[in-house]
Amino acid sequence: MKEIIGTSNRILEVDLTRNKVDVYDVKPRERRLYLGGKGLGLKLLYDRLRPGADPLGEENILAFMPGVLMGTGAPCSGRFAAVTKSPLTGIMTASSCGGPFGMALKTAGWDGLLVHGKAAKPTYLLITFEGVEFRDAGELWGLDTVATQSKLDEKHAGMLVIGPAGENLVRFANIATGDRFLGRGGMGAVMGSKILKAIVALGGACKIIPENQTAFDRLKKKATAYINRNRMTGTLYRNYGTPALVALSLKGGILPVNNFRDGTHGQALRISGEQTKKNHDTSHHTCKPCTILCGKKGKFGGEELPAPEYETLSLLGSNLGIFDIEKISEWNRICGKMGMDTISAGGTLAWVMEAAERGLIQSDLKFGSPDGVSQALLDTAHRKGFGAEMAQGSRALSEKYGGTSFAMQVKGLEIAGYDPRGSFGHGLAYAVANRGGCHLSAYLVAQEVYFHLLRPHAVRSKANYVKFFESLDNCVNSLQTCLFTLFAYLLESPLTKYTPSPALGLLMQELPQIAIPLIDYTLYRDFWSAVTGIRMWRWEYLEAGDRITVLERYMNTREGVWRLHDTLPDRLLREGRKSDPKARTVPIEKLRSKYYKKRGYDHNGIPTPKTLKRLGIQTPTGLQIPS
């Protein structure tokens, strides 16, 4: 077995059109400025992908990037990133995923994979330490994700596969690797457009060794202790998985119900993590290696299946007025086999139900009824009947039939399972998130609703924290490790842990300029340095997150995104929740303007030349403000 000290810095570049393979060597400056994972993948696409490229055209590029922690055995490091231009939104999208592919690619000796072009016939790629083989996938085309992976199963293999949704260019098709999925925004459709059915990496050829093993072992011990003693990571997520958030969101009044018309429901606890564990005998079913163990499996419909995650429970459950875990599990399985994102699928179904209720379209789908949902999902994946239109997502449907006010999307991406009328900072995070309605861009719902460290309906300080957590989250996704470690690494550091909650909340809410510099995120920086051997100042590491955020924003402005697009659906701006006697809505104008100032964007939300220069982002001249 070959030993790789730190990083191999070898990136495979595969051209499907020409059946050609090149190897790109990552430059030391690129590694330092963009870290790895999402950040490095984004930079590589910035250098190669022209503005205006068709997301489903031959010139779009898919990047798969394991990051520097993959293969080291660091806690929760079994994750990799993917970056491309989204066919759902028309702008950049990035995704983080567990599953076996990342480890297989990394231990095959590769720090990343870029896929260009379009195959002439159904193809899959076989990646080894030596390089790439182009293989015929004719017999695989048409198979679902489970059957495809079964056909391709090999020892030490990690796979990326698409199902019928990806083949049929459903705009929110995703990619499966084991029982895990990546690709909000339609990465599966990008693979489908390239006639690429699967990518198989044969790992195990290489062993990844940190540059500073002694420092790495010390950090691993400290990080593990933090994770084990933190309430979110060591208790709630470990015992109940992400469905533990159902009860927390219900208590905070932010659980989406009936297409975000309300934030609470009397039957919601039926789909909670606690009830699911009790009624379905759930056990661990997680990414590897993992310390949190949030992934679950249980007995549903007489079979042992992956348990639905919180986002699936909220978007395919409460947001449709459905609180039957068996039905939600069935729809989760359909989406998994077809290769479709459950968040966008649920958001689109909710729009269809309300549009039918209002007489804008004809459909038998109704809130509170499971009838017809399974068939609607299958029709969407195969583009049959009205499913062909549902495959375009809620934004396209609302622009054609009306009902944009209740199409719950931002920049074309359906928002996740948190009602921002009960969490203003999270609403700002949705509005300005680079990939659209993303809950993981800056997860302020935790500080505002779950931990009560920020006042959820205050405007003050929210722009500061959205900016900070956007940058820090991009650092985490470029390391790469699980974002859930943020709960442990930040909250278990001594200054935070031993400061009384009322004092900590007062400091965070009223004096963010003091509180934010005191947040200890050095575990992430130290892990990165221990593996790569590159020393980095604390501020320099967070600045890399700033750079990644701003580069992604700049790439989106070249596609026509500006202030007009940094907003929320009208429902969240003009209609209060039924359960909120004050009928509060999100004051997006105030929040957005403060955020632009903090980020160094102009009034239109475009990064200023001064900001781009400060971060070392080289740009062509003559960028026009969108109109």
Side-chain angles (χ1 to χ4, degrees):
M1 182 178 290
K2 302 172 180 65
E3 291 187 350
I4 294 175
I5 308 299
T7 55
S8 74
N9 292 320
R10 299 195 308 161
I11 306 288
L12 274 171
E13 293 209 53
V14 177
D15 186 334
L16 292 168
T17 304
R18 299 170 182 81
N19 278 17
K20 181 182 176 184
V21 179
D22 290 315
V23 177
Y24 177 78
D25 294 320
V26 179
K27 310 297 188 297
R29 178 176 169 80
E30 291 173 322
R31 176 67 68 191
R32 188 176 194 92
L33 294 184
Y34 293 96
L35 306 179
K38 175 188 173 179
L40 183 56
L42 196 68
K43 175 61 166 62
L44 294 173
L45 262 61
Y46 177 62
D47 293 339
R48 291 160 173 77
L49 188 62
R50 72 167 184 85
D54 180 358
L56 295 178
E58 184 175 332
E59 58 191 328
N60 196 11
I61 303 169
L62 269 165
F64 301 101
M65 309 293 294
V68 305
L69 282 190
M70 180 67 77
T72 63
C76 308
S77 59
R79 303 191 68 82
F80 63 99
V83 186
T84 194
K85 189 174 181 183
S86 164
L88 183 64
T89 65
I91 54 180
M92 300 309 298
T93 189
S95 189
S96 169
C97 185
F101 177 79
M103 183 72 76
L105 182 66
K106 189 70 178 283
T107 59
W110 303 101
D111 269 356
L113 167 68
L114 303 182
V115 181
H116 303 247
K118 178 179 180 179
K121 61 180 181 179
T123 297
Y124 78 91
L125 304 176
L126 179 65
I127 298 172
T128 64
F129 181 82
E130 286 73 28
V132 181
E133 294 180 24
F134 298 81
R135 294 191 172 184
D136 181 71
E139 292 185 356
L140 302 174
W141 204 257
L143 297 181
D144 64 39
T145 61
V146 175
T148 302
Q149 292 185 88
S150 179
K151 286 270 190 181
L152 291 172
D153 189 30
E154 294 190 50
K155 189 176 182 181
H156 300 303
M159 288 168 265
L160 296 173
V161 308
I162 59 171
E167 296 175 4
N168 294 315
L169 309 186
V170 173
R171 298 291 174 126
F172 47 88
N174 60 17
I175 304 168
T177 172
D179 287 330
R180 300 285 165 168
F181 298 86
L182 81 154
R184 286 208 73 202
M187 287 185 180
V190 177
M191 269 186 73
S193 73
K194 296 183 176 300
I195 322 297
L196 180 62
K197 180 65 177 179
I199 304 171
V200 181
L202 295 184
C206 302
K207 182 179 181 181
I208 314 301
I209 300 175
E211 183 77 31
N212 187 336
Q213 186 71 57
T214 301
F216 178 85
D217 291 342
R218 174 175 48 82
L219 292 165
K220 183 178 177 181
K221 183 178 180 181
K222 180 180 179 181
T224 301
Y226 278 11
I227 289 168
N228 288 338
R229 77 187 189 203
N230 179 259
R231 179 172 179 264
M232 288 294 290
T233 57
T235 302
L236 290 179
Y237 277 4
R238 184 168 294 170
N239 289 334
Y240 309 116
T242 59
L245 299 179
V246 171
L248 295 177
S249 295
L250 180 68
K251 184 178 179 181
I254 61 168
L255 184 71
V257 175
N258 292 351
N259 201 27
F260 285 83
R261 285 187 277 197
D262 208 348
T264 63
H265 195 283
Q267 298 184 60
L269 290 179
R270 291 175 58 193
I271 59 173
S272 67
E274 292 81 350
Q275 285 298 310
T276 302
K277 181 178 178 65
K278 178 181 177 181
N279 297 332
H280 298 275
D281 193 26
T282 57
S283 57
H284 299 315
H285 183 63
T286 192
C287 313
K288 297 178 181 179
C290 183
T291 310
I292 298 174
L293 308 176
C294 74
K296 304 298 173 192
K297 61 183 177 181
K299 297 175 182 177
F300 301 93
E303 295 183 67
E304 187 171 72
L305 299 171
E309 300 280 354
Y310 170 76
E311 303 302 338
T312 303
L313 292 168
S314 58
L315 271 298
L316 283 176
S318 62
N319 201 41
L320 304 183
I322 305 292
F323 302 94
D324 182 340
I325 191 72
E326 293 283 356
K327 288 294 184 183
I328 300 169
S329 177
E330 176 187 334
W331 302 332
N332 184 50
R333 188 182 191 190
I334 289 172
C335 286
K337 293 179 74 173
M338 294 297 103
M340 288 193 301
D341 173 37
T342 57
I343 299 177
S344 283
T348 300
L349 282 166
W351 181 90
V352 169
M353 289 177 178
E354 186 163 349
E357 194 177 88
R358 291 171 177 253
L360 297 177
I361 62 170
Q362 289 192 346
S363 174
D364 293 329
L365 296 174
K366 296 178 182 179
F367 290 111
S369 172
D371 295 344
V373 172
S374 294
Q375 191 59 52
L377 291 170
L378 291 169
D379 287 348
T380 299
H382 292 98
R383 285 186 173 266
K384 291 183 178 179
F386 193 69
E389 299 205 54
M390 289 179 63
Q392 301 295 103
S394 63
R395 180 173 67 175
L397 283 166
S398 68
E399 288 173 349
K400 179 174 181 178
Y401 293 102
T404 56
S405 65
F406 58 86
M408 306 307 291
Q409 52 81 26
V410 174
K411 301 182 183 78
L413 186 68
E414 286 73 19
I415 65 175
Y418 314 88
D419 192 319
R421 290 169 295 188
S423 180
F424 286 178
H426 202 70
L428 173 61
Y430 274 149
V432 301
N434 282 331
R435 74 170 178 176
C438 173
H439 61 297
L440 296 174
S441 174
Y443 195 69
L444 256 67
V445 68
Q447 287 74 30
E448 293 181 303
V449 179
Y450 301 157
F451 304 147
H452 309 292
L453 294 173
L454 295 172
R455 296 196 303 273
H457 296 110
V459 171
R460 180 179 175 83
S461 303
K462 299 305 170 63
N464 301 69
Y465 288 102
V466 169
K467 175 183 181 294
F468 171 75
F469 279 106
E470 279 182 335
S471 296
L472 183 57
D473 288 7
N474 272 325
C475 287
V476 176
N477 282 331
S478 301
L479 189 56
Q480 175 181 19
T481 186
C482 179
L483 282 173
F484 294 162
T485 59
L486 284 163
F487 294 127
Y489 295 179
L490 270 55
L491 294 176
E492 297 301 318
S493 63
L495 183 61
T496 303
K497 184 175 179 63
Y498 296 112
T499 300
S501 293
L504 183 62
L506 181 65
L507 179 66
M508 288 182 64
Q509 181 65 61
E510 300 302 328
L511 296 170
Q513 68 274 19
I514 295 176
I516 289 175
L518 292 176
I519 296 174
D520 185 3
Y521 52 84
T522 52
L523 259 175
Y524 296 110
R525 186 276 314 266
D526 293 345
F527 264 128
W528 190 83
S529 293
V531 174
T532 64
I534 302 171
R535 298 183 66 183
M536 184 176 284
W537 294 105
R538 181 177 185 272
W539 64 265
E540 192 180 4
Y541 184 73
L542 189 62
E543 187 178 68
D546 286 338
R547 183 176 298 108
I548 294 161
T549 305
V550 173
L551 176 63
E552 189 173 22
R553 175 69 184 196
Y554 176 69
M555 293 173 76
N556 285 347
T557 63
R558 301 191 306 174
E559 305 294 342
V561 167
W562 64 303
R563 186 184 188 94
L564 178 68
H565 303 92
D566 291 334
T567 190
L568 296 169
D570 279 357
R571 168 156 291 160
L572 304 178
L573 304 178
R574 294 178 172 82
E575 302 175 26
R577 289 163 292 166
K578 290 181 179 180
S579 57
D580 180 10
K582 294 185 178 180
R584 284 167 286 210
T585 57
V586 184
I588 197 61
E589 289 290 341
K590 294 179 182 179
L591 291 161
R592 183 175 54 195
S593 294
K594 291 177 182 291
Y595 169 82
Y596 285 171
K597 187 175 181 180
K598 297 292 180 186
R599 261 285 167 228
Y601 298 165
D602 66 18
H603 175 76
N604 288 301
I606 296 176
T608 65
K610 181 179 179 181
T611 298
L612 294 168
K613 183 178 180 181
R614 175 177 62 83
L615 294 171
I617 298 172
Q618 297 182 345
T619 63
T621 58
L623 176 68
Q624 299 297 310
I625 294 174
S627 59

